Amino acid sequence: MYRKAKFILLTHILLFTISPLYSQKNTFGTLKEQFLQKNYETCYNEAKASRDVTNEIQMIKALSFHKLPDNHEDKKAADNPELQTLKMIRKSKDYAGTESANTQSFFNKEIKKLQQEIFEQGKKWYKQGSKRKAKTYFNALHETFDNSEDLYTNYYSFDDSYLVNHLKEQIDIPEEFYSDYKKNYDLLEKYYHNKDEFHEWNNPLYRMANTAKNEDYLSGNEKMVFYFLNLARMNPQLFHETFLNTRLKIRYHGDLNLKLPVYDTLEVSQYGETLSFDDFFELPVHKLFKQDLPQETIEKFVKTKIIKESTNATKYQYDIAYRKFYNYLDNSRPELLNLRNLSIYRETSEDREIILFKLYDKEFTVYQKEYQEEVSDHYHQSLFKTLKEMEPKSILQPDKELFNLAECWAIEAGQRKLKGHDRVNCSYGYDAECNDYGNKNGLDIVLSLLIDRYVPDLGHRKVLLGNFSEMGVAIRPHKSSFDYNAVLDFYR
């Protein structure tokens, strides 16, 4: 009797525990079915009346609210239905979820469509000149879809692949030093991945800068000239704090003086407790025992001769009296012939028994100048000041006629090895022109012209940040030491 009562009690407890979860899943399943059948009003009303509180139910309530007809009383009561939808989605973050893979897939598809619809509405307002209203839409999207979870993925985040690949190209670390550099000195991690200000570029507002995205006559780098220049014009202060600072610090971080160990390996699987005479001959003895023996002792057996000397390095030749050295160690320091007891060895475990031993420390500097030294000149400092103080400018639109003008001169100047603006066979017709030499990457072309080094009147910078509305860009080979030249032509 006792066992039967206990079983009934446990069953009731189990059912009491499971039933809310079952109820939640069952409720959401019903709502999802209504939504897929486009019964949005029924879905919304049932979600609104539901006692089950999960982020899935709150989310589907928001999505069905967005799909309601405009004459629904709740939608008419909202000051702005799109912003109300986003507010409801933000509210869903307050509740726990139990979504499955299928549920996640359903939401991702619907949320992507929702973001696209609201983005296009904001884009419409922006192009019509209602920028304040457009920014309200973009800011609400950014606040709502913050990439905190898959459910809140921002499909209009900044795609940093172009930027990161370019920054990596500027970090020239010899292969033998790379793992140690990544562990201790990773500049990309320091100046990009750990810089919170970059998250601000995830605001969908800044996708408006990509005006040349669909211009199929432009190369990828030419499109990026539009993108990064427009970003600088839209938010000069943020551009300075992020793209400009990061690019310059990675390029000119001359105070990065690395003291990196240089290692060699030795396979020792066949060795016994002590090295044999023949084994000893295979070792770089002049390096192995440098830390264990006084210099005067080493000099008795190892003669050092400089055979080549340059500003960067000195090359030595070592004359080693191996037999005498071995006999000395065997008689006076036998412990140094025991491979496993050498203090400068470090053992690693792989398929084979390998002992990794340090040969020496190498002083290594990747960069030629320190950052502060490089950017202390008038050109950099005046640009920093300009970007910090200037008001945003309108974005530049691509123009095919301007592209034709720019391309003609980029080809002609490249083939004739010319600089400047004195066209020979190409016609004029632009309101302003900027030429850059030696860069083919879109970001570097923009930064080079903004810094405008060695141009006293800063003419290129004034044009890039001036009152222009349209631009054409062409990057072509230049038959000189520059390799490339870029031509940017503008209309007011």
Side-chain angles (χ1 to χ4, degrees), residues 6-230:
K6 185 177 180 182
F7 174 76
I8 293 172
L9 178 62
L10 289 173
T11 302
H12 285 170
I13 292 173
L14 185 61
L15 288 174
F16 180 77
T17 305
I18 293 174
S19 59
L21 293 175
Y22 176 78
S23 172
Q24 289 171 5
K25 289 182 179 180
N26 189 47
T27 300
F28 175 74
T30 302
L31 294 173
K32 180 182 173 184
E33 190 63 31
Q34 294 284 6
F35 188 93
L36 292 173
Q37 291 177 8
K38 299 184 178 182
N39 298 325
Y40 301 123
E41 191 165 358
T42 301
C43 181
Y44 171 71
N45 290 331
E46 289 185 5
K48 187 179 176 183
S50 175
R51 294 185 178 182
D52 296 334
V53 182
T54 66
N55 64 349
E56 296 99 323
I57 292 175
Q58 297 300 314
M59 179 71 82
I60 204 167
K61 181 173 76 172
L63 292 172
S64 55
F65 172 81
H66 178 65
K67 298 284 190 179
L68 290 176
D70 292 339
N71 61 359
H72 189 280
E73 76 175 83
D74 282 9
K75 207 160 186 180
K76 286 196 296 184
D79 292 335
N80 187 307
E82 287 87 0
L83 298 183
Q84 179 65 22
T85 299
L86 296 177
K87 184 177 180 180
M88 293 168 69
I89 291 176
R90 289 197 296 276
K91 185 67 177 175
S92 73
K93 296 178 183 180
D94 297 338
Y95 305 102
T98 58
E99 69 267 12
S100 64
N102 288 336
T103 302
Q104 184 72 53
S105 176
F106 160 75
F107 276 128
N108 286 346
K109 181 180 177 182
E110 294 301 323
I111 288 169
K112 190 171 185 178
K113 286 195 294 187
L114 172 71
Q115 288 186 40
Q116 184 177 6
E117 288 175 19
I118 297 179
F119 176 81
E120 291 300 327
Q121 183 61 52
K123 183 177 177 181
K124 178 182 174 183
W125 291 122
Y126 193 91
K127 287 188 172 182
Q128 290 177 355
S130 302
K131 292 185 178 179
R132 181 175 294 182
K133 188 171 184 178
K135 287 179 181 179
T136 304
Y137 279 66
F138 295 138
N139 290 340
L141 279 172
H142 188 213
E143 182 185 358
T144 305
F145 299 102
D146 55 4
N147 296 318
S148 56
E149 299 176 37
D150 287 343
L151 204 59
Y152 307 105
T153 296
N154 181 354
Y155 292 98
Y156 289 89
S157 291
F158 172 62
D159 179 358
D160 66 356
S161 55
Y162 183 89
L163 172 70
V164 171
N165 287 337
H166 182 52
L167 292 176
K168 283 181 179 178
E169 291 172 358
Q170 306 305 309
I171 304 174
D172 184 20
I173 301 290
E175 186 176 348
E176 64 268 29
F177 298 148
Y178 194 73
S179 60
D180 192 80
Y181 162 80
K182 286 288 289 183
K183 180 180 178 183
N184 297 300
Y185 311 100
D186 192 341
L187 296 180
L188 199 61
E189 187 72 22
K190 181 177 181 180
Y191 293 118
Y192 176 66
H193 293 302
N194 287 335
K195 201 168 181 64
D196 291 337
E197 291 89 341
F198 273 100
H199 296 307
E200 189 61 33
W201 293 118
N202 287 334
N203 191 321
L205 165 67
Y206 298 113
R207 303 298 75 77
M208 299 297 298
N210 205 2
T211 53
K213 179 181 179 181
N214 298 320
E215 304 297 319
D216 56 8
Y217 58 88
L218 293 173
S219 70
N221 279 318
E222 289 164 349
K223 292 177 182 180
M224 288 297 106
V225 172
F226 282 89
Y227 193 29
F228 284 106
L229 179 53
N230 278 332

Side-chain angles (χ1 to χ4, degrees), residues 170-174 181 187 250-251 253-254 256-258 364-369:
Q170 306 305 309
I171 304 174
D172 184 20
I173 301 290
Y181 162 80
L187 296 180
I250 285 180
R251 184 174 185 177
H253 203 89
L256 180 65
N257 294 310
L258 313 182
F364 185 74
T365 303
V366 183
Y367 306 90
Q368 300 302 313
K369 290 184 179 180

Side-chain angles (χ1 to χ4, degrees), residues 248-428:
L248 293 177
K249 289 204 170 183
I250 285 180
R251 184 174 185 177
Y252 299 127
H253 203 89
D255 50 340
L256 180 65
N257 294 310
L258 313 182
K259 190 174 183 180
L260 300 176
V262 179
Y263 291 100
D264 202 351
T265 57
L266 184 69
E267 188 167 354
V268 294
S269 56
Q270 303 302 317
Y271 289 151
E273 289 299 313
T274 304
L275 293 177
S276 69
F277 184 81
D278 290 335
D279 295 331
F280 178 77
F281 271 63
E282 299 297 320
L283 299 177
V285 182
H286 57 290
K287 296 174 182 176
L288 277 177
F289 298 102
K290 208 168 185 179
Q291 298 176 30
D292 298 274
L293 295 171
Q295 183 63 28
E296 58 268 21
T297 300
I298 293 177
E299 288 176 354
K300 291 179 182 178
F301 308 102
V302 181
K303 304 300 180 186
T304 306
K305 179 182 178 182
I306 297 176
I307 59 173
K308 187 176 181 181
E309 197 168 11
S310 67
T311 55
N312 296 325
T314 303
K315 189 174 182 180
Y316 298 94
Q317 176 180 301
Y318 297 96
D319 226 352
I320 306 169
Y322 283 108
R323 186 179 297 278
K324 291 181 180 179
F325 200 3
Y326 180 87
N327 290 337
Y328 167 78
L329 293 173
D330 195 26
N331 293 325
S332 304
R333 298 291 301 275
E335 74 278 9
L336 295 184
L337 294 175
N338 186 327
L339 192 60
R340 298 180 188 281
N341 288 338
L342 285 174
S343 61
I344 57 175
Y345 275 78
R346 194 151 59 91
E347 193 168 356
T348 62
S349 177
E350 295 179 343
D351 294 340
R352 301 171 300 164
E353 184 182 2
I354 297 291
I355 290 186
L356 183 71
F357 59 92
K358 186 170 76 172
L359 296 176
Y360 54 90
D361 285 322
K362 180 171 181 177
E363 296 284 347
F364 185 74
T365 303
V366 183
Y367 306 90
Q368 300 302 313
K369 290 184 179 180
E370 292 188 6
Y371 171 74
Q372 291 299 338
E373 178 187 357
E374 187 65 43
V375 304
S376 62
D377 60 83
H378 162 72
Y379 300 99
H380 285 88
Q381 292 302 314
S382 63
L383 176 60
F384 298 164
K385 186 173 186 294
T386 296
L387 293 175
K388 286 178 182 178
E389 296 177 355
M390 72 176 280
E391 293 296 320
K393 295 285 186 179
S394 60
I395 58 178
L396 295 164
Q397 300 293 333
D399 181 88
K400 184 67 179 292
E401 183 179 344
L402 281 173
F403 165 75
N404 292 333
L405 291 173
E407 183 186 38
C408 183
W409 179 229
I411 293 172
E412 182 175 53
Q415 291 176 347
R416 294 173 177 268
K417 303 181 184 179
L418 298 176
K419 287 185 66 179
H421 308 281
D422 297 327
R423 299 175 175 228
V424 181
N425 296 316
C426 295
S427 60
Y428 295 83

